[in-house]
């Protein structure tokens, strides 16, 4: 793999910084990996999420949540469950709240045994808000066979009230056990961020354990690559720049930004400049997060 | 039932973003300094819960990490004043609906009754009287909400805003047969029917023939169907147009057939004769007769496009009105054929200046507040629907004070075929069931269609406002797309203006009749009269035709997806629209009278010489030495300043298909010339969107305005890479009332402007071969308030949708390399009338650009060849602000300097060169090595080599030579400082 120079938003070929560079090609054996992508209730990113897994050769299937509830075999033959982006129940009350309550009540036990069996869970944006409220991340102090853990973190309104769509730089933390971010070189990944509630707050009782366990796989970074709390590099004021959380196994991962919205090189705001400079990737770098999941599902 | 009250507050760690925003708004909008503000969420649960269940629900609603909740009251923290903001009875409460859903999930059973959401604001250090005044301006919209301000100790308030009544559903009759003209007019005005005397007379005569009086519902149904909003009477009426030489031309079949449909039919014929569509099939798949236009795209997908306006509702309730604008046009595009997949939204707003400082007439809101509410409404509506936006613009002119213009549009992809039947067809047959689904019916939106067909005054009905519920709609769309793919439905249409009376009345034409029973329609609350059920414009509803053999599976699917669906009736071939309430007859009208019975008076159109010279240009405004100041002032003006922080509130990347985003450049803060989206995952084809709008040219020459609009739209998508032979356009007319009357003595002039505009539109569309595939007109954009009439300038919006085979070939306006050559294609004339620079200086008259569209068409064909040969590296369409603004965009987007040399011409000083708004011009760059080839190909089309692109870096500057004199030299950083200096948003 040839390392690429950094296409940051202040495009500057003279000052390269290390791009998080995961292999983006189709993965051998990926056809074994069934991926369940939830739809319904106002979720709206299922198409691009499934398209990404398809590009990698996996077998994604978009299913309405109510059909999954009605189908006792729905989680069989599935290695990755994705809670994707959107506005489940309009984010009314609080983002992900109504959906998380419903998932806990109707699918909680099946999800618990799914993750106990080594299943992977990815939550993106509204999906992250949902799995945090569902107790899947950080999911501390839960033993196999237990019900889902209680909620230990929450996602609050952005400090600057309101939705914001803009690209952010994520610093990928190499010490994290997160399997979705492994297998790449470099540390900076650019992806779109699109949310109104993205400020991650940890229950103080669990904060130390989360940080010591490196359960923060991704942080918002400034142009120098340092974690930041400063807007707009950090769009929501999340302390320490926390952009996502994983569980101690690293197989459950949620993040606010949207790797599934960077499947094509042309998604990047500077893609024409990247092409002129000869460093346009063959596929969108966001695909690397999905690829990490597929590779882990095969292990 | 026992009502429980839940109160929730954030912990100190989580912060209170709404409280902080409220503080900031009080300061910015009213100059009120509140030392501390905090907010709490209140839910009233009128759900028949036991106390123990209510405690569990309370716990499920609050966040255990960041919030504290109480069933009852939390302590007051010594606040001085508190304000409770709640919806008025009957207003759609989407949060309340989700609270009920959450409660049901929590207790594991379905619940009766409702939940209600409200907000409690606590203030420290502010007088109660101050907040009494501030509440309706900052905290709530009195049209739909109440604010209770108090400084007394709080007590537990368990009241809920229950709506409805026990009134029995009575069908009344209206004594029309014996009414004299005065009475007929009074019935129309008092009933908000917006029917003219001639129309009332026609209806009375019809019922005299039938030997009975109409029911209240029949009269309402006719008023809705015959409304300007639904029937486009001004565009259908015969017109006598007085030509410049005094002769009178009769436009017998009306403006729409002659100029709009006429242009499209002529283009279709030319295409057919040229054989251009032989390989792929006709480009025009479905035009004019459906909710939106449909054109051919790939072998598997057609493209659908529609733009609407939602002006009057946005004037009353900017947030709710604008939100229903966007989710409403979503339904138009979705409900085309048997259903299309939404791709992207567009919006455009015309407001009075946000810093308008003259007194605001009573009944109007300050334009700043309208602007804020409109943005938030379209942001929430679009984002929650999961549809990204592509295009957005704002224009400011104080003539939009009376009615803001709120354009909302949606492009969609329609699978060519679904379940073996072409998707654009609606094979509805006699015996198919009429199913209504989505939201329930309430009094909201009653008279929306007739209201928007009247001028705004202080007595505007509050029920004309609808509140959007994007999630209910999204769940309905998801379900309907499944039903479409499974072949369960034969037709569908949106329940928009006029409600069921319009949607079923129109669908009845498929089979020649329809019969529905209003008693089967689900209501939000009891007590609606049958006529109200029939014409309510309650949102998020579609009417669908379902073949009898599929009704059961259709309803089962709806239940699984939690979408409410009700069979209301059946399609017939009786030739009648029959409505009952149970056994009682409500409406029995012949379709022929309903749709064709309205009288078409001949209108008269004649231009007046009304031109008033308004010339307040300060001394030295046009001086060569001041062009740099002019450019900086323009960059800092409301019209051009950077508003990216507002725009970032709109999702523009959901679906993951964006290629050229709405904002581009190294700082991602310069509006793109056109936007490009990949259409489907895994494919290379792209959809290119651009638009043209030029209301400042209308007063001088409406024909020139129309040509300028088409030209700008076409040129924008051309610059980005669109194929010339696959462009389609939409026309949206927003006009001041063009019917002469006591209140509108200049109606004939305004109608003449409309005729000229239509002529220009047809001429330009034919010249470019761009068909008009759908459109909309809004013809009463006037307000009479405090005795003063405020009319908008005639405003045409042309939205162009282009196609490209491979998105990797797109171009943006951003220059790409040092040493690249900067070119200007197209002739520059002294077209300063209506230009941004002149308007800023206070001059609102002068010759506007006319467009030689036949010549432009040839220029564009030549440019497209050079572009497709890969020679062009960046391209921008010159528009408002002229060459000066285009140069600024090039510099701001690239952080590169530009060295520009303008030739000395006697007719055109440096000011004219930089700020003329001559149409048909493109600023583009190429590699220096390709200069000779570019000269050869485009030399005959008015090509000018302007200069070169410089390096990036702190020293980058824009320099402009005029002849031998340096007339402008500005560091890019200085231009940027003026451009972003205001930090809006």
């Amino acid at each position: 793999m040839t390392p690429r120079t950094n296409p940051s938003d202040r495009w500057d070929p003279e000052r390269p910084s290390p791009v998080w560079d995961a292999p983006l090609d189709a993965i051998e054996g990926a056809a074994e990996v069934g991926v369940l992508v939830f739809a319904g209730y106002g979720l709206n990113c299922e198409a691009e999420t499934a398209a990404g897994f398809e590009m990698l050769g996996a077998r994604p299937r978009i299913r309405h949540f109510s059909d999954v509830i009605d189908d006792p075999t729905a989680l069989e033959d599935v290695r990755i469950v994705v809670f994707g982006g959107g506005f489940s129940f309009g984010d009314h009350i609080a983002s992900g709240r109504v959906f998380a309550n419903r998932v806990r009540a109707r699918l909680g036990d099946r999800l618990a045994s799914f993750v106990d069996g080594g299943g992977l869970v990815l939550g993106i944006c509204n999906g992250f808000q949902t799995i945090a409220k569902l107790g899947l991340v950080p999911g501390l102090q839960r033993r196999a066979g237990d019900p889902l853990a209680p909620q230990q973190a929450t996602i609050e309104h952005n400090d600057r009230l309101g939705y914001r769509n803009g690209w952010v730089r994520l610093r990928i933390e190499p010490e994290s056990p997160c399997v979705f971010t492994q297998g790449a070189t470099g540390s900076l990944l650019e992806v779109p961020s699109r949310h109104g509630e993205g400020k991650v707050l940890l229950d103080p009782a669990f904060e130390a354990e989360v940080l010591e366990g490196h359960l923060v796989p991704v942080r918002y970074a400034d142009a120098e690559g340092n974690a930041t709390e400063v807007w707009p590099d950090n769009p929501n004021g999340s302390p320490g720049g926390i952009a996502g959380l994983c569980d101690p196994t690293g197989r459950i991962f949620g993040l606010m930004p949207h790797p599934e919205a960077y499947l094509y090189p042309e998604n990047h705001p500077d893609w024409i400049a990247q092409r002129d400079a000869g460093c346009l990737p063959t596929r969108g770098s966001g695909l690397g997060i999905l690829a990490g999941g597929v590779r882990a599902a095969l292990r | 039932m026992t009502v429980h009250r839940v109160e929730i507050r954030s912990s100190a760690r989580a912060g209170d973003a709404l409280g902080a925003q409220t503080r900031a708004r009080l300061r910015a909008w009213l100059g009120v300094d509140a030392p501390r503000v905090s907010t709490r969420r209140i839910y009233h649960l009128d759900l028949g819960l036991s106390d123990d269940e209510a405690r569990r629900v309370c716990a499920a609603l609050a966040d255990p990490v960041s919030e504290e909740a109480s069933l009852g009251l939390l302590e007051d923290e010594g606040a001085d004043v508190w304000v409770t903001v709640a919806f008025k009875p009957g207003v759609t409460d989407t949060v309340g609906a989700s609270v009920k859903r959450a409660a049901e999930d929590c207790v594991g059973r379905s619940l009766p009754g409702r939940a209600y959401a409200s907000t409690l604001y606590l203030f420290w250090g502010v007088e109660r009287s101050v907040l009494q005044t501030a509440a309706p301006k900052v905290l709530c919209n009195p049209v739909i909400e109440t604010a209770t301000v108090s400084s007394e100790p709080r007590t537990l308030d368990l009241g809920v805003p229950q709506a409805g009544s026990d009134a029995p559903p009575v069908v009344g009759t209206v004594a029309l047969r014996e009414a004299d003209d005065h009475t007929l007019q009074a019935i129309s005005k008092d009933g908000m029917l917006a029917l003219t005397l001639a129309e009332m007379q026609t209806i009375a005569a019809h019922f005299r023939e039938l030997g009975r009086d109409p029911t209240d519902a029949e009269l309402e149904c006719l008023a809705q169907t015959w409304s300007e909003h639904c029937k486009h009477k001004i565009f259908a009426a015969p017109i006598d147009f007085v030509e410049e030489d005094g002769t009178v031309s009769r436009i017998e079949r009306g403006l729409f057939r002659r100029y709009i449909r006429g242009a499209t039919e002529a283009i279709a014929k030319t295409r057919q004769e040229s054989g251009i569509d032989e390989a792929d099939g006709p480009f025009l798949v479905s035009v004019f007769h459906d909710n939106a236009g449909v054109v051919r795209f790939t072998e598997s997908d057609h493209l659908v496009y529609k733009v609407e306006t939602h002006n009057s509702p946005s004037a009353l309730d900017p947030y709710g009105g604008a939100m229903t604008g966007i989710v409403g046009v979503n339904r138009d595009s979705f409900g085309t054929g048997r259903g299309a997949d939404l791709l992207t939204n567009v919006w455009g707003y015309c407001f009075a200046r946000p810093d308008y400082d003259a007194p605001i007439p009573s009944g109007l809101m300050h334009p700043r507040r309208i602007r804020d509410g409109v943005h938030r409404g379209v942001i929430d509506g679009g984002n929650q629907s999961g549809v990204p936006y592509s295009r957005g613009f704002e224009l400011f002119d104080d003539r939009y004070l009376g009615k803001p213009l709120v354009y909302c549009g949606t492009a969609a992809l329609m699978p060519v075929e679904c379940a073996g039947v072409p998707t654009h067809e609606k094979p509805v047959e006699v015996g198919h069931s009429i199913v209504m689904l989505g939201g329930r019916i309430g009094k909201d939106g009653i008279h929306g269609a007739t209201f928007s067909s009247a001028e705004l005054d202080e007595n505007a009905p509050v029920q004309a406002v609808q509140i959007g519920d994007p999630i209910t709609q999204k769940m309905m769309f998801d379900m309907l797309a499944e039903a479409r793919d499974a072949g369960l439905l034969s037709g569908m249409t949106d329940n928009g203006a006029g409600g069921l009376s319009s949607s079923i009345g129109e669908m009845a034409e498929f089979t020649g009749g329809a019969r529905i029973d209003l008693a089967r329609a689900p209501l939000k609350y009891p007590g609606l009269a049958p006529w109200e059920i029939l014409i309510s414009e309650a949102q998020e509803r579609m009417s669908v035709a379902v073949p009898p053999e599929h009704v059961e599976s259709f309803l089962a699917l709806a239940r699984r997806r939690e979408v409410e669906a009700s069979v209301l009736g059946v399609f017939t071939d009786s030739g009648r629209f029959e409505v009952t309430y149970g056994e009682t007859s409500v409406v029995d009208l012949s379709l022929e009278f309903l749709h064709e019975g309205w009288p078409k008076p001949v209108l008269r159109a004649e231009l007046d010489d009304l031109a008033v010279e308004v010339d307040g240009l300060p001394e030295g405004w046009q001086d060569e030495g001041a062009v740099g100041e002019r450019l900086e002032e323009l960059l800092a003006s409301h019209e051009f300043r950077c508003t990216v922080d507002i725009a970032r509130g709109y999702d523009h990347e959901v679906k993951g298909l964006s290629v050229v985003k709405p904002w581009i450049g190294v700082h991602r803060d310069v509006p793109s010339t056109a936007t490009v989206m990949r259409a489907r995952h895994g494919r290379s084809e792209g959809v290119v969107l651009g638009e043209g709008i030029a209301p400042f040219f209308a007063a001088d020459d409406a024909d020139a305005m129309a040509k300028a609009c088409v030209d700008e739209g076409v040129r924008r998508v051309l610059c980005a890479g669109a194929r010339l032979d696959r462009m389609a356009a939409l026309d949206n007319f927003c006009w001041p009332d063009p019917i002469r009357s006591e209140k509108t003595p200049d109606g004939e002039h305004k109608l003449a402007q409309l005729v000229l505009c239509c002529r220009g539109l047809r001429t330009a569309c034919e010249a470019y071969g761009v068909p008009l595939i759908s459109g909309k007109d809004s013809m009463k954009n006037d307000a009479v308030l405090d005795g003063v009439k405020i009319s908008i300038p005639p405003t045409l919006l042309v939205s162009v949708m282009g196609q490209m085979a491979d998105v990797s070939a797109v171009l943006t306006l951003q220059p790409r390399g040092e040493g690249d050559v900067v070119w200007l294609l197209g002739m520059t004339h002294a077209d300063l009338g209506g230009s941004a620079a002149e308007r800023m200086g206070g001059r609102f008259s002068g010759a506007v650009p006319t467009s030689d569209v036949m010549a432009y068409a040839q220029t564009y064909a030549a440019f497209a060849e050079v572009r497709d040969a890969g020679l062009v590296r960046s391209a921008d369409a010159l528009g408002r602000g002229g060459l000066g603004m285009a140069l600024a965009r090039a510099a701001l987007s690239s952080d590169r300097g530009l060295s520009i040399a303008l030739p000395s011409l006697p007719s055109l000083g440096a000011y004219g060169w930089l700020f003329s708004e001559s149409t048909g011009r493109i600023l583009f760059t190429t590699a220096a090595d390709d200069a000779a080839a570019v000269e050869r190909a485009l030399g005959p089309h008015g090509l000018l080599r302007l200069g070169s692109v410089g390096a990036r870096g702190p020293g980058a500057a824009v320099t402009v030579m005029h002849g031998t004199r340096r007339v402008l030299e500005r560091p890019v950083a200085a231009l940027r400082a003026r451009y972003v200096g205001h930090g809006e948003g």
Side-chain angles (χ1 to χ4, degrees), chain A residues 11 67 92 154 163 167 267, chain B residues 63 98 561 651 661 952:
Chain A
W11 169 245
D67 289 348
H92 303 145
T154 195
Y163 194 90
W167 280 59
N267 291 133
Chain B
D63 193 299
S98 287
R561 300 296 179 246
D651 195 307
K661 300 181 207 297
R952 279 189 66 177

Side-chain angles (χ1 to χ4, degrees), chain B residues 700-741:
Chain B
D700 185 63
D701 185 345
D703 173 282
M705 167 176 78
K707 287 176 180 157
C709 290
V710 178
D711 176 63
E712 182 185 349
V714 165
R715 208 155 21 96
R716 281 179 180 275
V717 300
L718 172 76
C719 284
R723 287 169 63 169
L724 273 175
D725 62 344
R726 281 284 184 98
M727 293 181 191
L730 310 177
D731 55 277
N732 282 80
F733 290 83
C734 287
W735 229 252
D737 187 359
I739 302 299
R740 184 176 170 170
S741 69

Side-chain angles (χ1 to χ4, degrees), chain A residues 180-194:
Chain A
F180 290 86
T181 51
Q182 286 172 5
T185 60
S187 63
L188 285 183
L189 169 65
E190 287 184 290
V191 276
S193 150
R194 316 187 314 244

Side-chain angles (χ1 to χ4, degrees), chain B residues 798-813:
Chain B
V798 174
S799 307
V800 179
M801 176 171 64
Q803 309 181 0
M804 58 196 300
D806 185 350
V807 294
S808 70
V810 299
L811 296 171
T812 75
L813 62 81

Side-chain angles (χ1 to χ4, degrees), chain A residues 98-115:
Chain A
V98 182
F99 191 32
N101 286 353
R102 179 170 287 194
V103 176
R104 190 183 283 272
R106 303 198 192 164
L107 196 68
D109 295 343
R110 285 159 71 190
L111 260 184
S113 40
F114 173 76
V115 299

